[in-house]
Amino acid sequence: MDIGVLLPTGTTLWGAGEGPRELLALGRRAERSGFSSLFVNDSLTGPRVEALTALAALAPVTDNVTLGTAALLPFLRRPVQAAQSLASLDLLSGGRLVVTVGAGFPGRFGRPLYALSQVPWERRFARLDETVALWRALWDGAPSFHGEFFHADELPSTTRPFRTAHPPVWLGGATPAALERAGRLYDGWLPYPPDPADYASGLAAVHGAAAGAGRDRGGITPALFVSVRIDDDAAGGRRVLDDYARAAYGLPLTELEKIQAVVTGTAAHVLDRLLEYAAAGARHLVVRLAAPDLRSQSEQLDRLAALIPAGGAPTATGAAPASGRQ
């Protein structure tokens, strides 16, 4: 199993006197602590370091960790330019990029961002799939592309990724339609269901869709996005998580945990909960450290690292299987 962390690129989650240098230092610390990936999220909501810019800064200061998005919103960017940026990141990082994509969802993270980007909200999922198909065509050096939204009789000769097979593209989302699309079209699946049982049933649906499309399910990475806070004081941990949820989403914790995987409590409780998701089939955890500033994020990083020897699967015995970074 691979365990990674989501770095807080939103500047509202930086403490007084903290800045980009401390953010990059947190990424380097995570790699030294044995975590196998670093992810960033993407939005126009709130002041933040742009996702691909953050990964470009992390590439030269890290050596082996996967660098990923969780999730990139392609509708915010022109598709050909985005393909070049992603290929450049893969090239500069030596083939360490993973691109999770999403189409946004209703509320302040959906329609308003589409309006700012001058992209129609309607048919957003079909547009997302076609954007990824266009990226792959550009990375493969295809001469032309003809789809519902994008037409080009002559595609430009653009930057090629480091890997001939190009960066893996994962899909975020857990609706029935998203499960089918993940199995049919994508290289990985990164949802955040609150219940491990829902993860297991969703993964079975992804595998079923892959089989129906004649794909090997082994080529689809089953990942999980989960917010974690380790705290010996369970009530205190929930208070911190509530503050975090309100700062990040404008939602109280009681509402956020209805729609997202959120785990808080003692180290033993957090470990047990993560093991439930592992038993449900998750093989790459992307952990958001629920803490209000970079200093306390670093403290949470250390506490989580103690549960995950050498960046492998969390185990009650402290023994970890070999990591297989995707």
Side-chain angles (χ1 to χ4, degrees):
M1 175 176 286
D2 288 307
I3 313 291
V5 294
L6 183 84
L7 296 180
T9 54
T11 59
T12 56
L13 296 175
W14 299 352
E18 295 178 337
R21 290 182 181 274
E22 287 75 22
L23 179 70
L24 296 180
L26 181 61
R28 292 194 298 270
R29 183 179 186 133
E31 182 175 41
R32 290 195 303 269
S33 298
F35 291 91
S36 56
S37 60
L38 301 173
F39 280 74
V40 297
N41 59 15
D42 186 30
S43 180
L44 293 178
T45 303
R48 68 180 60 246
V49 177
E50 190 271 333
L52 302 186
T53 304
L55 294 182
L58 285 163
V61 300
T62 57
D63 297 313
N64 300 306
V65 286
T66 293
L67 302 175
T69 58
L72 192 74
L73 302 175
F75 67 85
L76 299 180
R77 300 163 178 84
R78 301 299 297 172
V80 174
Q81 181 268 334
Q84 183 183 41
S85 295
L86 293 168
S88 299
L89 266 172
D90 195 57
L91 187 64
L92 292 171
S93 67
R96 292 188 282 138
L97 181 65
V98 166
V99 188
T100 307
V101 297
F105 49 88
R108 65 180 180 132
F109 301 104
R111 284 181 180 271
L113 300 186
Y114 274 81
L116 285 170
S117 301
Q118 299 181 326
V119 176
W121 173 256
E122 293 73 24
R123 306 263 314 141
R124 60 193 181 278
F125 301 114
R127 182 182 294 273
L128 173 64
D129 294 343
E130 191 169 304
T131 298
V132 173
L134 175 58
W135 291 350
R136 289 168 171 163
L138 287 162
W139 295 336
D140 289 338
S144 61
F145 186 89
H146 299 284
E148 178 183 351
F149 306 99
F150 308 111
H151 306 273
D153 291 330
E154 295 184 12
L155 287 178
S157 176
T158 189
T159 306
R160 296 292 184 89
F162 181 85
R163 288 164 287 186
T164 303
H166 51 68
V169 184
W170 299 355
L171 182 66
T175 65
L179 300 176
E180 188 275 335
R181 290 162 51 234
R184 185 167 50 87
L185 299 171
Y186 289 85
D187 305 306
W189 178 53
L190 181 65
Y192 44 64
D195 189 334
D198 291 333
Y199 187 92
S201 61
L203 183 57
V206 170
H207 288 164
R215 301 184 65 204
D216 177 8
R217 73 181 198 178
I220 303 173
T221 301
L224 171 77
F225 184 96
V226 56
S227 296
V228 169
R229 179 172 181 81
I230 300 173
D231 202 313
D232 295 331
D233 176 3
R238 287 190 62 82
R239 284 193 296 270
V240 173
L241 256 174
D242 184 69
D243 291 342
Y244 185 91
R246 293 174 188 274
Y249 287 98
L251 293 173
L253 176 60
T254 52
E255 293 300 314
L256 182 64
E257 63 188 355
K258 292 177 183 177
I259 58 175
Q260 286 195 8
V262 177
V263 181
T264 185
T266 64
H269 174 76
V270 168
L271 176 59
D272 287 344
R273 193 63 169 169
L274 296 181
L275 286 171
E276 289 181 27
Y277 280 105
R283 291 297 175 265
H284 194 135
L285 304 186
V286 178
V287 177
R288 176 168 54 185
L289 302 167
D293 52 52
L294 295 177
R295 180 189 60 79
S296 51
Q297 289 243 345
S298 184
E299 294 171 353
Q300 284 291 308
L301 183 78
D302 291 343
R303 298 195 71 174
L304 183 62
L307 300 184
I308 309 165
T315 66
T317 63
S323 174
R325 182 171 61 84
Q326 298 291 325

